[in-house]
Amino acid sequence: MMLARCLPSGWSAIRGIATSSSAMKWKIKEAEEGDTTVVEMEKIEEPARPKNAFCTLCTCNLPIKVKYSDVLILEQFMRPDGTVLPRQLTGLCRNKQLQIERCVMQAHWSGLFPDKTIADFDRSGYKQFNRYWKDDMSMYRISEKIEQGSWYYVKRYDTKNRPWNKLMKNPLNWDPLHTHLYKKHKRKPKNITDK
Amino acid sequence: MNQARQLAQFMRQWHLIDANQQDVYKLGTKVAKYLSGNWKPIWHPSTDCGDHVVVINCQDIAMEGFDWKHRQFHFNKEYPKSKVNIPAYQIHMYDPCRIVYLAVYKCLGKSNIRRSHIARLHLLPDAEVPSFLMKNVGNQLEQVQEVVKRSTEYTDEERRNFPRLVKFPEDHVVDWEAPIDNPGRHKLYNPYERKSKIQQTPTK
């Protein structure tokens, strides 16, 4: 900026400082003409190296953006305990490494790696139910949604006498400390058959 | 065949849909369309031409992100201290069919006959369908979302055929991949923190 103010008419001088897009290299070239040796500097033009030349995800031309549900891709970047390998080992660029880390975390939250988690992974409260993610940045777009509740309800079929049905007659008296009593028990998926 | 399909439009058809890992409101819009008969060419707002829909696996519905916690249902009885916001997961713990019911009721829109429409909704918490319902069902609806497979549900054959993306360098040591101990949460140094009892000097 200062330079521009000092040289109002000297834009060409500044333009000389600016870096060019393609990298330039020089090479010493010796040529013997009779009994004299001519030493010259020769210009070599090298194509600019793309930034992602070493990133394994950028270079492999994946037709998709990696998501939390691409379990077989995420597994390759993981340790057996469910953590992500560091960037020095995976050979990813910074952005892709962070993206993979986010996706792995989302997959853990959705319970897609039941054999690769720590024993005390928190699955209490709202975390015990199924959830999905639109993309890898989905967890940062948080907003509270207020819906209009309604008491109008037709309970046609029994909801299988869950243990908490007796314990909690009124959902307003919900006590989060007793979550372990109302843990979701999953029935074995059965085929739809006539009884 | 076409004529039979045409005649079936004038009857109450029975559809079945699996709610496993489906978004509640995406599922609700689809179910509401069939409950109100909106998919039929003969549909008219004052015509009651809706169908029956059986939704199974209601306990396995999904929500996006942290919506189980952040989607709150506002109940207000217009009495003192009676306003309350209940997060969706607490309602779902209490009754696994209630969230689907509320979602479908909302998606049916404001109309005078939506209560008669939602009376034809049959919600079942799991995959067991009673035979008196199952004998009516004539159509299975397509799910609105893909069902995500867990890592344990893939076979070794699929895993072997999947292309390998990670290319380790030539001097890679396998032991570097071994899990490291959890270093714990970073804790700021607090000089005023109480020392443990062993380090305290005994008073004389």
Side-chain angles (χ1 to χ4, degrees):
Chain A
M1 201 64 200
M2 285 297 290
L3 196 65
R5 227 173 268 164
C6 297
L7 299 167
S9 61
W11 283 106
S12 60
I14 297 166
R15 207 172 288 158
I17 299 167
T19 53
S20 56
S21 60
S22 61
M24 285 294 187
K25 281 184 177 180
W26 295 90
K27 195 186 176 188
I28 299 170
K29 184 188 175 190
E30 290 184 22
E32 288 190 15
E33 296 174 5
D35 44 347
T36 57
T37 310
V38 182
V39 183
E40 278 181 340
M41 296 291 276
E42 199 184 11
K43 195 187 254 184
I44 303 167
E45 200 164 318
E46 210 176 61
R49 202 179 67 204
K51 275 184 181 176
N52 55 15
F54 296 116
C55 176
T56 49
L57 263 187
C58 298
T59 51
C60 67
N61 289 328
L62 269 184
I64 48 151
K65 195 181 176 190
V66 177
K67 238 170 62 174
Y68 78 104
S69 56
D70 303 325
V71 175
L72 291 184
I73 296 178
L74 296 178
E75 259 181 0
Q76 303 180 10
F77 297 97
M78 279 167 65
R79 296 202 186 94
D81 68 336
T83 50
V84 189
L85 288 169
R87 196 150 74 91
Q88 289 86 341
L89 297 185
T90 53
L92 296 175
C93 60
R94 188 211 293 258
N95 289 348
K96 291 286 176 187
Q97 172 79 12
L98 286 172
Q99 187 195 338
I100 290 287
E101 283 172 17
R102 276 182 245 121
C103 289
V104 167
M105 210 55 239
Q106 287 179 346
H108 277 304
W109 285 333
S110 302
L112 299 187
F113 292 113
D115 53 340
K116 288 190 175 186
T117 44
I118 49 174
D120 53 344
F121 197 90
D122 191 7
R123 298 224 160 269
S124 61
Y126 73 97
K127 297 161 196 158
Q128 62 187 283
F129 299 123
N130 284 335
R131 35 181 166 166
Y132 71 95
W133 309 87
K134 276 178 189 159
D135 61 336
D136 57 302
M137 296 296 278
S138 162
M139 54 204 163
Y140 301 118
R141 290 190 285 268
I142 287 174
S143 62
E144 212 168 61
K145 294 133 195 159
I146 309 288
E147 303 279 348
Q148 186 60 44
S150 158
W151 283 277
Y152 180 68
Y153 184 47
V154 184
K155 188 163 179 176
R156 286 185 158 266
Y157 307 105
D158 186 19
T159 45
K160 301 290 152 107
N161 275 333
R162 271 135 216 292
W164 52 82
N165 281 5
K166 286 176 188 170
L167 289 164
M168 297 195 321
K169 288 292 178 194
N170 185 0
L172 304 184
N173 298 335
W174 176 257
D175 188 2
L177 292 174
H178 297 149
T179 313
H180 62 282
L181 293 174
Y182 325 121
K183 264 186 185 167
K184 181 187 175 188
H185 70 278
K186 266 210 165 182
R187 280 157 188 268
K188 279 186 179 176
K190 286 178 184 173
N191 292 329
I192 306 157
T193 46
D194 282 17
K195 276 176 188 173
Chain B
M1 185 66 198
N2 276 338
Q3 200 175 3
R5 210 176 287 160
Q6 189 191 354
L7 287 171
Q9 306 261 309
F10 297 93
M11 300 178 193
R12 301 248 181 257
Q13 296 182 28
W14 283 69
H15 307 280
L16 182 118
I17 189 164
D18 186 3
N20 184 23
Q21 296 190 31
Q22 307 298 303
D23 183 78
V24 199
Y25 286 93
K26 285 182 198 168
L27 186 93
T29 43
K30 177 148 190 173
V31 169
K33 198 176 100 182
Y34 281 88
L35 279 181
S36 63
N38 207 344
W39 66 284
K40 294 180 179 178
I42 58 167
W43 178 81
H44 186 266
S46 64
T47 318
D48 192 4
C49 61
D51 297 337
H52 288 264
V53 181
V54 183
V55 184
I56 58 168
N57 285 327
C58 280
Q59 63 183 4
D60 296 327
I61 49 165
M63 282 202 184
E64 201 254 327
F66 300 103
D67 272 10
W68 279 116
K69 184 173 59 168
H70 290 313
R71 197 175 284 279
Q72 297 185 340
F73 288 87
H74 181 70
F75 287 88
N76 185 5
K77 282 187 178 171
E78 302 284 341
Y79 278 100
K81 299 178 186 173
S82 70
K83 281 182 187 173
V84 71
N85 283 351
I86 309 178
Y89 80 94
Q90 290 187 0
I91 300 176
H92 195 61
M93 279 171 152
Y94 185 72
D95 183 350
C97 299
R98 188 70 182 260
I99 293 287
V100 182
Y101 190 90
L102 286 166
V104 174
Y105 195 63
K106 184 192 174 186
C107 295
L108 276 171
K110 294 260 167 95
S111 76
N112 291 327
I113 48 173
R114 73 165 159 173
R115 290 204 173 182
S116 62
H117 284 153
I118 205 157
R120 302 196 187 101
L121 179 66
H122 306 267
L123 299 170
L124 297 163
D126 45 23
E128 290 172 33
V129 187
S131 55
F132 61 87
L133 281 183
M134 200 62 206
K135 69 183 179 193
N136 296 323
V137 172
N139 183 24
Q140 186 176 4
L141 300 179
E142 202 182 333
Q143 286 182 313
V144 286
Q145 263 181 330
E146 55 151 6
V147 176
V148 178
K149 272 169 90 177
R150 291 178 172 183
S151 71
T152 45
E153 290 167 15
Y154 287 97
T155 55
D156 288 342
E157 185 69 27
E158 283 175 299
R159 199 161 270 147
R160 232 177 292 120
N161 294 335
F162 197 79
R164 181 120 189 115
L165 292 180
V166 187
K167 294 160 209 154
F168 290 118
E170 285 179 9
D171 55 344
H172 178 74
V173 183
V174 185
D175 296 340
W176 291 347
E177 290 179 46
I180 51 171
D181 289 336
N182 186 3
R185 201 183 168 86
H186 174 65
K187 208 177 172 188
L188 282 175
Y189 171 67
N190 182 7
Y192 305 107
E193 200 175 42
R194 276 197 168 181
K195 298 270 164 53
S196 60
K197 281 179 184 175
I198 304 158
Q199 289 178 347
Q200 279 176 355
T201 49
T203 51
K204 284 176 185 175

